[in-house]
Amino acid sequence: MPRIGTNILSNLLAAAWIGALTLLITPLQIRLLGIEAFGVIGLIAVFQVAMSTLDLGLATAVTRAIARDRDTTALTTTRLAASVGTFYWIASAIVGTIIWLAADWMASAWLSSPTVDAEIIAGSLKLIAAFLALRWPVAFYGAVLAGLQRMDVLNSIKTIAFSLRLGGAILVLLWRPTLEAMLTWFVFSAAVEVLMFAIAAHRMMPTLPWRPAFHPAAIGAVWRFSASMGLIGLMSLLLTQSDRLVIGKLLDLQALGFYSLAYTVAVGGALMQTAINSAMLPAFAQASVEKSWASSRYNKASELMAFGLAPLCALLVFFGHDLLRLWVGLASADGAYAALAFLATGFFLNALVSNAYTVAVGFGRPDIPFK
């Protein structure tokens, strides 16, 4: 039987560490840089989700294929993984270049601030472009490790990389408190992270080639599944990320900063959701072959999700203002609390149905959640 419990525990420990580090570092970032600069940093998450839709569901297809085919020396699985990895690196370079070239336009036509110079915003967006180009292939290598159900390795690297990025950023800010300095460190940490993930994925799956390779037949075998996942990703982007894009356009960077702060807190619940879903996806994929224990595991995962997140959601909705005031101060609490109450409720409702989505994908039926 898959080591689901161990994988969920590993994911939860990593999520707890990432959440605790975020809670510790965020007030320092706001204090050293200001709420407007924090709004610019918040755009990283928007771009990351936007880029994740461009993989057309291929990362999930890799996870599912490896989980179903426990013999990772199989030629079809190896060719699929190699093709998707090549696609990721090429696409990340193209998208990063596009964001880099559009940085000046976005700084002048999209983002506005009475206190942050447009040149600084443009330079920051260029650094974000480099950061994203380096980090996007991490999703592919993470998909390989998830398919192998090596969440221990995946989470160890994730926590090390996250600690390096945020912990090092604070040291950089204490030395030079500028947005450009912190984002430059982000770029360096992203290069270290993708290297660690690449080495781990190739060691865990020795047949995965280092050289670029593309096999159309391997992609063709999963294109229906991948296309459905890609459409779901596009819908998810429109439904979950358009808020910050609209706020950045219609309001100023201060409003975006308050909203990004609320989102940062509310997404803590999503960390638990992701911890459970990411462990269950390869398990459900394997269950689709073995035709065993899927129902009972689904029920237990759903109960864990509901009872685990309900207290956190209630805490953020009813006591969010007090928590924000103690964490980042009264002014930021006043600006972010209303958004936090709505976002926490939304994340909780989304989590309640997330296992249904995961089991549909694991059994190769993404058309169901898409419809």
Side-chain angles (χ1 to χ4, degrees):
M1 180 175 291
R3 42 192 223 170
I4 304 174
T6 302
N7 286 337
I8 291 178
L9 178 61
S10 174
N11 289 345
L12 288 174
L13 290 175
W17 174 254
I18 291 173
L21 198 59
T22 300
L23 290 175
L24 177 65
I25 299 299
T26 298
L28 297 176
Q29 289 179 326
I30 295 175
R31 189 175 305 160
L32 293 171
L33 293 176
I35 194 67
E36 291 88 354
F38 188 76
V40 175
I41 298 171
L43 292 176
I44 292 177
V46 179
F47 285 129
Q48 284 180 322
V49 174
M51 290 180 70
S52 69
T53 65
L54 300 178
D55 85 329
L56 307 176
L58 290 172
T60 306
V62 167
T63 296
R64 184 171 181 271
I66 294 176
R68 286 169 57 87
D69 181 8
R70 301 309 297 160
D71 179 13
T72 55
T73 62
L75 188 59
T76 54
T77 303
T78 299
R79 285 181 171 177
L80 174 63
S83 301
V84 173
T86 301
F87 168 81
Y88 256 83
W89 276 106
I90 294 175
S92 65
I94 294 173
V95 175
T97 301
I98 292 174
I99 297 175
W100 180 288
L101 295 175
D104 293 322
W105 171 81
M106 287 190 289
S108 60
W110 178 30
L111 301 172
S112 62
S113 172
T115 58
V116 182
D117 188 84
E119 290 187 3
I120 294 178
I121 297 176
S124 299
L125 290 173
K126 291 178 180 179
L127 289 171
I128 289 175
F131 171 78
L132 293 171
L134 287 169
R135 277 214 79 237
W136 197 37
V138 166
F140 161 69
Y141 296 117
V144 172
L145 295 174
L148 295 170
Q149 301 198 50
R150 291 305 305 268
M151 300 299 180
D152 53 340
V153 176
L154 189 154
N155 286 313
S156 296
I157 299 175
K158 184 189 296 185
T159 53
I160 292 172
F162 194 83
S163 302
L164 176 67
R165 181 159 65 248
L166 285 192
I170 291 302
L171 295 178
V172 170
L173 288 176
L174 292 174
W175 167 64
R176 188 176 181 183
T178 65
L179 183 58
E180 298 97 319
M182 190 189 73
L183 290 175
T184 300
W185 174 260
F186 274 20
V187 174
F188 169 76
S189 68
V192 175
E193 180 182 15
V194 73
L195 180 61
M196 289 192 296
F197 266 103
I199 293 174
H202 283 275
R203 285 187 176 180
M204 295 294 104
M205 187 175 178
T207 57
L208 182 64
W210 283 95
R211 281 185 161 187
F214 190 77
H215 304 278
I219 300 295
V222 298
W223 77 268
R224 292 182 183 275
F225 175 89
S226 179
S228 295
M229 292 301 302
L231 290 172
I232 290 174
L234 180 59
M235 293 175 64
S236 176
L237 171 66
L238 296 175
L239 291 171
T240 64
Q241 300 302 316
S242 58
D243 48 3
R244 280 174 285 183
L245 297 176
V246 172
I247 290 172
K249 175 62 178 177
L250 298 182
L251 302 178
D252 57 20
L253 276 179
Q254 184 182 58
L256 180 60
F258 286 140
Y259 192 84
S260 296
L261 175 61
Y263 197 95
T264 299
V265 178
V267 82
L271 292 176
M272 178 181 288
Q273 173 192 330
T274 303
I276 298 173
N277 292 156
S278 60
M280 296 308 299
L281 176 58
F284 283 138
Q286 187 173 350
S288 69
V289 178
E290 299 177 355
K291 308 296 183 183
S292 62
W293 54 259
S295 178
S296 62
R297 294 292 178 177
Y298 170 79
N299 292 334
K300 290 182 179 180
S302 298
E303 291 171 359
L304 176 62
M305 188 80 73
F307 289 112
L309 285 179
L312 176 60
C313 175
L315 184 67
L316 295 179
V317 171
F318 296 109
F319 302 100
H321 187 275
D322 295 327
L323 294 173
L324 286 171
R325 178 172 54 82
L326 294 173
W327 184 39
V328 292
L330 181 60
S332 295
D334 289 340
Y337 166 65
L340 173 60
F342 282 105
L343 287 170
T345 303
F347 275 117
F348 176 65
L349 295 175
N350 181 71
L352 292 181
V353 298
S354 63
N355 278 310
Y357 165 82
T358 304
V359 74
V361 173
F363 274 71
R365 293 298 306 274
D367 58 300
I368 295 175
F370 171 69
K371 293 173 183 177

